[in-house]
Amino acid sequence: MKNYLTLLLLAVLFTSCSHQKPTFTKDDISIIPKPSSIQLHESAFEFESKTKLVVTEAAHKKAANYLKGLFSTSAGFEFSESTSKTAAAVIFETVEGLKEGAYKLVVNPSQIIISASEESGFFNGVQTIRQLLPSEIESTNEVSVNWYVPCLSIEDEPRFKWRGMHNDFSRHFIDIDEVKSFLDYLALYKMNMYHMHLTDDQGWRIEIKQYPLLTEKGAWRTPNNQDTICMERAEENKLYTIDEAKFKTIDGERKYGGFFTQEQIKEIVAYADDRCITVVPEIDMPGHFKAAIDNYPFLSCNGQSGWDTVFTHPSCLGKDTTYEFMKNVLSEVVDLFPYEYIHIGGDEVNIASWKECPLCQKAIKDNNLKDEHELQSFFNRDIEQFLHSKGKKLMGWDEIVEGGLTKDAAVMWWRGWRPEAPKKAAENGNELVITPTDAYYFDYLNEGNTLEKIYNYEPVPENFTAEEEANVLGIQANLWSEWIPSFKRLQYQAFPRMLAVAENAWASKENKDFEAFNARVEKQYPRLDELGVYYYIPIVKGLDKTIAMVDSTKVKLELAYPLEGVEIYYTTDGSVPTKETTKYTEPFTVSDTVEIKARAYKGEIFNDIKKTKVEQKVYLNSEAIEPKSKGLKRFLISGKLKKVEDIKLKTTTKYEVVDSVDIADFKGKKPVNMVFSGYIKAEKDGIYQFETRSDGGDYLYIGDTLVVDNSGWHGPRKRYGNVALKAGWHPITIKYRPSDKPRVISAWYGMQGKDLQLINSTVTGF
Ligand code: ACM
Ligand code: ZN
């Protein structure tokens, strides 16, 4: 085997380079995830209708079939298979010793050789060939191009064996055809795990034959408040439009929903398997279970169903019938999904319901459990044993760590704010999938969990030992669908961020570089365009804050980052910007009180609208004084106050002189209200922006004009306001009413559109 490969390699290097074919450069190539190593050579291999696939083992089949499918659709080529190694062929060759998913690829002018040790390696090799081909390979129509693949050698293997994506079918449903498209995207980027969140409060999405009401009724809902908000958003952004096909009239009422029959589930599992993707079902229990409890009320504690203060009432863990129901459901589920793990959720359980339930309390007592967390663990263990009896293992969200868990359960860490959970699981020897809110929650907007943040996120926690790291199966991104009512919006949330997760899951830490990755992402867009994938494009900047003016102002818009082919369109009459409205070319003047709305377009792809108001201001005159002292007076007023406006200064209130607006030594101490007052300097006539940050609440005044309203009762947060100031000194007052644990009061100012500076003694006096 080894000799054969060496010979082939020599053939590549010395003999068979044909000069009619093009030679490619590194810049022509964009492979995501980035391969471990690439050696680029001269010339190219060209796929033609007569190209043969040399397939000699069952392990080659899925990869060969996928390659055939691609060419059949976009080139009209129907490749035939051969068992002997001929020229003008793609040769699949099984070798020993490569890890799961790994492959080697050698392309020379007359042959392509893919070697791997098992089927997913071959499949991944084909995906690399796919990304080396012109993007027209993704076309759904027959096109005529030269199907060149650059001559090269690649050695490649994944960092993690779990390279996952998740869809939430409950909050908003996507149908089987959409699922198949999504699986094709996963395949393209060498992702191999597909997590289906099939049940939740808002809908049950998998047929269970023993409990038909789960889907007859539980799959259909009266449109809820999230549907209503999505429909409102759809007026400005059609990606929020809920597909008509997902509505159905039942007993005269228009309902939203959908579900998969067991036959469809089998079809999905088989479709995924053809792409070397494993499907992991999630049946979330005992919380997030309203869709079942509504239709089988015996599952509840005290007959309760529906929402409590934060989560829904869970199923009762003091009744045998609950355990029986869960097991009956899971019996049907385990038969449909071949993978060893079954995900049982376990997140966000409203344990308060169990505190009030005599049956749950009896179960705690009878089983010598400490509390409701242990009751959930008791339930988990019972379910786990049941799954074992079916040859399966239990997986759950990281809440399952709380009441103790067996070594056998696998944990999905999602609560970014609970870093102790993965550590506890890892110390206990449990397998882990890393999917924290901080990076891998793709329901969060692109402006929050950005491509760069995701890419640079190191999934293995720093405090893991090497042994604990070995228990990290891999990573996954989640697409919770409360605000994702359409497949197009789902694509917008997933792309291009999924490419960052794909590369994080695949490439070694040392082999990663954001700038280089980003350049490769740009080269993927023509491919995504061919696939009809809707992706995120840079948002318009410049309208993040209200704009103030006296007579007129210039409005400057820009893109959050440059991307070829992206243009900005805007309106100033409140209407929705489209490609028919004004195209932004340079800063424009506004001299009226208007609302500006803008969005970017790349071809037919558009993004979320950014908007702001332009406010007309009247100059505040400065006072004819020259402060004698630098800094501000700080008055302290004790007593618990309901509102910031309750702060009252008496003429007798004593003050100290301070350099800046600062909480100083009062942080974390008993709350004391504060007033800062004095004068602040405006260097020249113009619009000034003031900003405060406080906990509890504050107001900032210039003279009698309230400029920043940061009142209410809140944790540390920023608010801003604009004011037109004539050059000179202006009276400033800041009133701060801290929260019960005083944290912060700070203030900044500056000319609108410029960097703000901290308000301190260089610009204040009295
Ligand atoms: C979750 O996001 N509740 C797992
Ligand atoms: Zn109960």
Side-chain angles (χ1 to χ4, degrees), residues 47-70 72 77-92 122 126:
F47 277 93
E48 292 168 297
S49 58
K50 64 176 196 290
T51 302
K52 293 239 176 319
L53 306 188
V54 179
V55 174
T56 50
E57 289 178 29
H60 307 158
K61 275 281 177 199
K62 287 177 187 169
N65 285 345
Y66 204 86
L67 192 60
K68 279 191 203 172
L70 287 171
S72 170
F77 297 167
E78 302 301 333
F79 295 145
S80 57
E81 289 184 11
S82 148
T83 48
S84 62
K85 294 185 175 106
T86 58
V90 178
I91 301 166
F92 294 88
F122 291 109
V126 161

Short mmCIF file of all heavy atoms in Angstrom, two decimals, residues 47-70 72 77-92 122 126:
data_model
loop_
_atom_site.label_atom_id
_atom_site.label_comp_id
_atom_site.label_asym_id
_atom_site.label_seq_id
_atom_site.Cartn_x
_atom_site.Cartn_y
_atom_site.Cartn_z
N PHE A 47 -12.71 16.89 -14.04
CA PHE A 47 -13.82 15.92 -14.07
C PHE A 47 -14.50 16.01 -15.42
O PHE A 47 -14.77 17.11 -15.92
CB PHE A 47 -14.85 16.24 -12.98
CG PHE A 47 -14.50 15.70 -11.62
CD1 PHE A 47 -13.80 16.48 -10.71
CD2 PHE A 47 -14.86 14.40 -11.25
CE1 PHE A 47 -13.49 15.99 -9.45
CE2 PHE A 47 -14.55 13.91 -10.00
CZ PHE A 47 -13.86 14.70 -9.09
N GLU A 48 -14.76 14.85 -16.00
CA GLU A 48 -15.48 14.79 -17.27
C GLU A 48 -16.55 13.72 -17.15
O GLU A 48 -16.53 12.94 -16.19
CB GLU A 48 -14.52 14.44 -18.40
CG GLU A 48 -13.51 15.56 -18.66
CD GLU A 48 -12.38 15.12 -19.58
OE1 GLU A 48 -11.62 14.21 -19.19
OE2 GLU A 48 -12.30 15.66 -20.68
N SER A 49 -17.41 13.65 -18.15
CA SER A 49 -18.51 12.68 -18.02
C SER A 49 -17.96 11.25 -17.96
O SER A 49 -18.57 10.37 -17.38
CB SER A 49 -19.49 12.84 -19.18
OG SER A 49 -18.80 12.66 -20.39
N LYS A 50 -16.76 11.05 -18.55
CA LYS A 50 -16.21 9.69 -18.57
C LYS A 50 -15.41 9.34 -17.30
O LYS A 50 -14.92 8.23 -17.16
CB LYS A 50 -15.34 9.50 -19.82
CG LYS A 50 -14.10 10.39 -19.88
CD LYS A 50 -13.27 10.03 -21.11
CE LYS A 50 -11.86 10.56 -21.07
NZ LYS A 50 -11.72 12.01 -21.21
N THR A 51 -15.28 10.30 -16.39
CA THR A 51 -14.53 10.04 -15.14
C THR A 51 -15.12 8.83 -14.42
O THR A 51 -16.34 8.69 -14.33
CB THR A 51 -14.57 11.28 -14.21
OG1 THR A 51 -14.04 12.38 -14.93
CG2 THR A 51 -13.79 11.05 -12.94
N LYS A 52 -14.23 7.96 -13.96
CA LYS A 52 -14.71 6.75 -13.25
C LYS A 52 -14.46 6.90 -11.75
O LYS A 52 -13.51 7.56 -11.33
CB LYS A 52 -13.93 5.53 -13.74
CG LYS A 52 -14.18 5.14 -15.17
CD LYS A 52 -14.69 3.71 -15.21
CE LYS A 52 -15.07 3.22 -16.61
NZ LYS A 52 -15.78 4.18 -17.46
N LEU A 53 -15.31 6.25 -10.98
CA LEU A 53 -15.09 6.20 -9.54
C LEU A 53 -14.66 4.78 -9.20
O LEU A 53 -15.38 3.82 -9.51
CB LEU A 53 -16.36 6.56 -8.77
CG LEU A 53 -17.02 7.90 -9.12
CD1 LEU A 53 -18.16 8.20 -8.14
CD2 LEU A 53 -16.02 9.05 -9.11
N VAL A 54 -13.49 4.65 -8.61
CA VAL A 54 -13.00 3.31 -8.27
C VAL A 54 -13.42 3.01 -6.83
O VAL A 54 -12.87 3.54 -5.86
CB VAL A 54 -11.47 3.22 -8.44
CG1 VAL A 54 -10.98 1.82 -8.06
CG2 VAL A 54 -11.08 3.56 -9.88
N VAL A 55 -14.45 2.18 -6.75
CA VAL A 55 -15.09 1.88 -5.48
C VAL A 55 -14.95 0.39 -5.23
O VAL A 55 -15.45 -0.42 -6.01
CB VAL A 55 -16.59 2.28 -5.55
CG1 VAL A 55 -17.34 1.84 -4.31
CG2 VAL A 55 -16.72 3.77 -5.76
N THR A 56 -14.24 0.02 -4.18
CA THR A 56 -14.00 -1.42 -3.97
C THR A 56 -14.56 -1.94 -2.66
O THR A 56 -14.55 -3.13 -2.41
CB THR A 56 -12.47 -1.68 -4.01
OG1 THR A 56 -11.82 -0.74 -3.15
CG2 THR A 56 -11.92 -1.55 -5.41
N GLU A 57 -15.03 -1.05 -1.80
CA GLU A 57 -15.53 -1.51 -0.50
C GLU A 57 -16.79 -0.75 -0.11
O GLU A 57 -17.01 0.37 -0.57
CB GLU A 57 -14.47 -1.26 0.59
CG GLU A 57 -13.26 -2.16 0.48
CD GLU A 57 -12.22 -1.84 1.53
OE1 GLU A 57 -12.61 -1.37 2.63
OE2 GLU A 57 -11.04 -2.05 1.25
N ALA A 58 -17.54 -1.35 0.80
CA ALA A 58 -18.77 -0.69 1.28
C ALA A 58 -18.46 0.67 1.88
O ALA A 58 -19.25 1.61 1.74
CB ALA A 58 -19.45 -1.58 2.31
N ALA A 59 -17.29 0.81 2.52
CA ALA A 59 -16.93 2.07 3.19
C ALA A 59 -16.76 3.22 2.21
O ALA A 59 -16.70 4.38 2.61
CB ALA A 59 -15.64 1.88 3.99
N HIS A 60 -16.66 2.91 0.91
CA HIS A 60 -16.48 3.98 -0.08
C HIS A 60 -17.82 4.51 -0.61
O HIS A 60 -17.85 5.52 -1.31
CB HIS A 60 -15.67 3.45 -1.29
CG HIS A 60 -14.38 2.80 -0.92
ND1 HIS A 60 -13.74 1.90 -1.73
CD2 HIS A 60 -13.61 2.91 0.20
CE1 HIS A 60 -12.62 1.47 -1.15
NE2 HIS A 60 -12.53 2.08 0.03
N LYS A 61 -18.87 3.76 -0.34
CA LYS A 61 -20.15 3.98 -1.03
C LYS A 61 -20.77 5.35 -0.81
O LYS A 61 -21.18 6.03 -1.76
CB LYS A 61 -21.16 2.90 -0.59
CG LYS A 61 -21.04 1.62 -1.38
CD LYS A 61 -21.72 1.78 -2.72
CE LYS A 61 -21.55 0.51 -3.56
NZ LYS A 61 -21.78 0.78 -4.99
N LYS A 62 -20.86 5.76 0.47
CA LYS A 62 -21.56 7.03 0.75
C LYS A 62 -20.84 8.20 0.09
O LYS A 62 -21.47 9.09 -0.47
CB LYS A 62 -21.65 7.26 2.27
CG LYS A 62 -22.65 6.35 2.95
CD LYS A 62 -22.67 6.55 4.45
CE LYS A 62 -23.58 5.50 5.08
NZ LYS A 62 -23.45 5.46 6.54
N ALA A 63 -19.52 8.16 0.19
CA ALA A 63 -18.72 9.24 -0.40
C ALA A 63 -18.89 9.25 -1.91
O ALA A 63 -19.12 10.30 -2.53
CB ALA A 63 -17.25 9.07 -0.02
N ALA A 64 -18.80 8.07 -2.53
CA ALA A 64 -18.92 7.99 -3.99
C ALA A 64 -20.31 8.43 -4.44
O ALA A 64 -20.46 9.17 -5.41
CB ALA A 64 -18.63 6.55 -4.44
N ASN A 65 -21.32 7.99 -3.71
CA ASN A 65 -22.69 8.37 -4.08
C ASN A 65 -22.89 9.88 -3.99
O ASN A 65 -23.57 10.48 -4.81
CB ASN A 65 -23.71 7.69 -3.17
CG ASN A 65 -23.87 6.22 -3.53
OD1 ASN A 65 -23.44 5.81 -4.61
ND2 ASN A 65 -24.43 5.43 -2.63
N TYR A 66 -22.30 10.49 -2.98
CA TYR A 66 -22.48 11.94 -2.82
C TYR A 66 -21.83 12.68 -3.98
O TYR A 66 -22.40 13.61 -4.56
CB TYR A 66 -21.91 12.42 -1.48
CG TYR A 66 -22.56 13.71 -1.03
CD1 TYR A 66 -23.76 13.68 -0.32
CD2 TYR A 66 -22.02 14.94 -1.37
CE1 TYR A 66 -24.39 14.86 0.07
CE2 TYR A 66 -22.64 16.12 -0.98
CZ TYR A 66 -23.82 16.08 -0.26
OH TYR A 66 -24.45 17.25 0.10
N LEU A 67 -20.63 12.23 -4.35
CA LEU A 67 -19.92 12.85 -5.47
C LEU A 67 -20.71 12.69 -6.77
O LEU A 67 -20.86 13.64 -7.55
CB LEU A 67 -18.53 12.21 -5.60
CG LEU A 67 -17.53 12.89 -6.51
CD1 LEU A 67 -17.24 14.31 -6.05
CD2 LEU A 67 -16.22 12.09 -6.55
N LYS A 68 -21.26 11.50 -6.96
CA LYS A 68 -22.08 11.26 -8.16
C LYS A 68 -23.28 12.19 -8.20
O LYS A 68 -23.62 12.76 -9.23
CB LYS A 68 -22.61 9.82 -8.14
CG LYS A 68 -21.65 8.78 -8.59
CD LYS A 68 -22.46 7.50 -8.75
CE LYS A 68 -21.61 6.29 -8.66
NZ LYS A 68 -22.40 5.05 -8.63
N GLY A 69 -23.92 12.33 -7.02
CA GLY A 69 -25.12 13.17 -6.93
C GLY A 69 -24.81 14.61 -7.30
O GLY A 69 -25.57 15.25 -8.03
N LEU A 70 -23.68 15.13 -6.82
CA LEU A 70 -23.31 16.51 -7.11
C LEU A 70 -23.17 16.73 -8.61
O LEU A 70 -23.72 17.67 -9.19
CB LEU A 70 -21.97 16.86 -6.44
CG LEU A 70 -21.96 17.06 -4.92
CD1 LEU A 70 -20.51 17.19 -4.43
CD2 LEU A 70 -22.75 18.30 -4.53
N SER A 72 -24.21 14.79 -11.08
CA SER A 72 -25.42 14.47 -11.83
C SER A 72 -26.30 15.72 -11.93
O SER A 72 -26.80 16.06 -13.00
CB SER A 72 -26.14 13.32 -11.12
OG SER A 72 -27.40 13.14 -11.69
N PHE A 77 -23.38 14.83 -15.47
CA PHE A 77 -22.52 13.65 -15.64
C PHE A 77 -23.08 12.50 -14.79
O PHE A 77 -23.45 12.72 -13.64
CB PHE A 77 -21.09 13.91 -15.14
CG PHE A 77 -20.34 14.99 -15.88
CD1 PHE A 77 -19.15 15.50 -15.35
CD2 PHE A 77 -20.78 15.49 -17.10
CE1 PHE A 77 -18.45 16.50 -16.01
CE2 PHE A 77 -20.08 16.49 -17.78
CZ PHE A 77 -18.92 17.00 -17.24
N GLU A 78 -23.07 11.31 -15.37
CA GLU A 78 -23.47 10.14 -14.58
C GLU A 78 -22.25 9.24 -14.51
O GLU A 78 -21.98 8.45 -15.41
CB GLU A 78 -24.66 9.41 -15.25
CG GLU A 78 -25.90 10.27 -15.46
CD GLU A 78 -26.51 10.86 -14.18
OE1 GLU A 78 -26.33 10.27 -13.09
OE2 GLU A 78 -27.12 11.95 -14.27
N PHE A 79 -21.48 9.40 -13.44
CA PHE A 79 -20.24 8.63 -13.33
C PHE A 79 -20.52 7.15 -13.16
O PHE A 79 -21.41 6.76 -12.41
CB PHE A 79 -19.42 9.08 -12.10
CG PHE A 79 -18.93 10.50 -12.19
CD1 PHE A 79 -18.85 11.28 -11.05
CD2 PHE A 79 -18.54 11.06 -13.40
CE1 PHE A 79 -18.39 12.59 -11.11
CE2 PHE A 79 -18.07 12.37 -13.47
CZ PHE A 79 -18.01 13.13 -12.32
N SER A 80 -19.70 6.35 -13.85
CA SER A 80 -19.84 4.91 -13.59
C SER A 80 -18.73 4.47 -12.64
O SER A 80 -17.69 5.14 -12.50
CB SER A 80 -19.82 4.12 -14.89
OG SER A 80 -18.63 4.41 -15.57
N GLU A 81 -18.99 3.35 -11.98
CA GLU A 81 -18.02 2.83 -11.01
C GLU A 81 -17.19 1.74 -11.65
O GLU A 81 -17.63 1.06 -12.57
CB GLU A 81 -18.75 2.27 -9.78
CG GLU A 81 -19.38 3.36 -8.95
CD GLU A 81 -20.04 2.85 -7.68
OE1 GLU A 81 -19.83 1.66 -7.33
OE2 GLU A 81 -20.75 3.65 -7.04
N SER A 82 -16.00 1.61 -11.09
CA SER A 82 -15.13 0.55 -11.58
C SER A 82 -14.44 -0.04 -10.36
O SER A 82 -14.37 0.61 -9.31
CB SER A 82 -14.12 1.19 -12.55
OG SER A 82 -12.91 0.50 -12.51
N THR A 83 -13.98 -1.25 -10.46
CA THR A 83 -13.26 -1.82 -9.31
C THR A 83 -11.75 -1.88 -9.60
O THR A 83 -10.97 -2.22 -8.73
CB THR A 83 -13.75 -3.25 -8.98
OG1 THR A 83 -13.81 -3.99 -10.19
CG2 THR A 83 -15.12 -3.22 -8.31
N SER A 84 -11.37 -1.52 -10.84
CA SER A 84 -9.92 -1.53 -11.11
C SER A 84 -9.42 -0.10 -11.26
O SER A 84 -10.15 0.79 -11.72
CB SER A 84 -9.64 -2.34 -12.37
OG SER A 84 -10.27 -1.72 -13.46
N LYS A 85 -8.18 0.09 -10.87
CA LYS A 85 -7.63 1.46 -10.82
C LYS A 85 -7.24 1.94 -12.21
O LYS A 85 -6.18 1.59 -12.72
CB LYS A 85 -6.43 1.47 -9.89
CG LYS A 85 -6.83 1.19 -8.47
CD LYS A 85 -5.68 1.30 -7.52
CE LYS A 85 -6.16 1.13 -6.12
NZ LYS A 85 -5.78 -0.17 -5.54
N THR A 86 -8.09 2.72 -12.81
CA THR A 86 -7.81 3.22 -14.15
C THR A 86 -7.39 4.69 -14.05
O THR A 86 -7.46 5.29 -12.99
CB THR A 86 -9.10 3.17 -15.01
OG1 THR A 86 -10.08 3.95 -14.34
CG2 THR A 86 -9.57 1.77 -15.21
N ALA A 87 -6.99 5.24 -15.19
CA ALA A 87 -6.72 6.68 -15.22
C ALA A 87 -8.06 7.40 -15.28
O ALA A 87 -9.12 6.77 -15.39
CB ALA A 87 -5.87 7.02 -16.43
N ALA A 88 -8.02 8.72 -15.25
CA ALA A 88 -9.22 9.56 -15.27
C ALA A 88 -10.23 9.07 -14.25
O ALA A 88 -11.39 8.84 -14.54
CB ALA A 88 -9.85 9.58 -16.67
N ALA A 89 -9.73 8.87 -13.06
CA ALA A 89 -10.59 8.26 -12.06
C ALA A 89 -10.39 8.90 -10.69
O ALA A 89 -9.36 9.49 -10.40
CB ALA A 89 -10.28 6.77 -11.96
N VAL A 90 -11.44 8.76 -9.89
CA VAL A 90 -11.33 9.07 -8.47
C VAL A 90 -11.23 7.73 -7.76
O VAL A 90 -12.14 6.90 -7.88
CB VAL A 90 -12.56 9.85 -7.97
CG1 VAL A 90 -12.43 10.12 -6.48
CG2 VAL A 90 -12.72 11.14 -8.75
N ILE A 91 -10.13 7.54 -7.09
CA ILE A 91 -9.88 6.23 -6.46
C ILE A 91 -10.08 6.32 -4.95
O ILE A 91 -9.45 7.15 -4.29
CB ILE A 91 -8.44 5.76 -6.78
CG1 ILE A 91 -8.27 5.67 -8.30
CG2 ILE A 91 -8.13 4.44 -6.09
CD1 ILE A 91 -6.81 5.54 -8.73
N PHE A 92 -10.96 5.50 -4.44
CA PHE A 92 -11.17 5.43 -2.99
C PHE A 92 -10.34 4.26 -2.48
O PHE A 92 -10.44 3.15 -3.01
CB PHE A 92 -12.65 5.19 -2.67
CG PHE A 92 -13.53 6.35 -3.06
CD1 PHE A 92 -14.07 6.42 -4.35
CD2 PHE A 92 -13.80 7.38 -2.17
CE1 PHE A 92 -14.88 7.49 -4.72
CE2 PHE A 92 -14.60 8.44 -2.53
CZ PHE A 92 -15.15 8.51 -3.81
N PHE A 122 -13.73 9.09 4.04
CA PHE A 122 -13.93 9.22 2.58
C PHE A 122 -14.94 10.33 2.28
O PHE A 122 -14.75 11.13 1.36
CB PHE A 122 -14.44 7.90 1.99
CG PHE A 122 -13.40 6.82 2.01
CD1 PHE A 122 -13.50 5.75 2.89
CD2 PHE A 122 -12.29 6.90 1.18
CE1 PHE A 122 -12.53 4.77 2.92
CE2 PHE A 122 -11.30 5.92 1.21
CZ PHE A 122 -11.43 4.85 2.09
N VAL A 126 -14.41 13.80 0.05
CA VAL A 126 -15.27 14.25 -1.06
C VAL A 126 -15.73 15.69 -0.82
O VAL A 126 -15.80 16.50 -1.76
CB VAL A 126 -16.47 13.29 -1.24
CG1 VAL A 126 -17.60 13.96 -2.04
CG2 VAL A 126 -16.02 12.02 -1.93
#
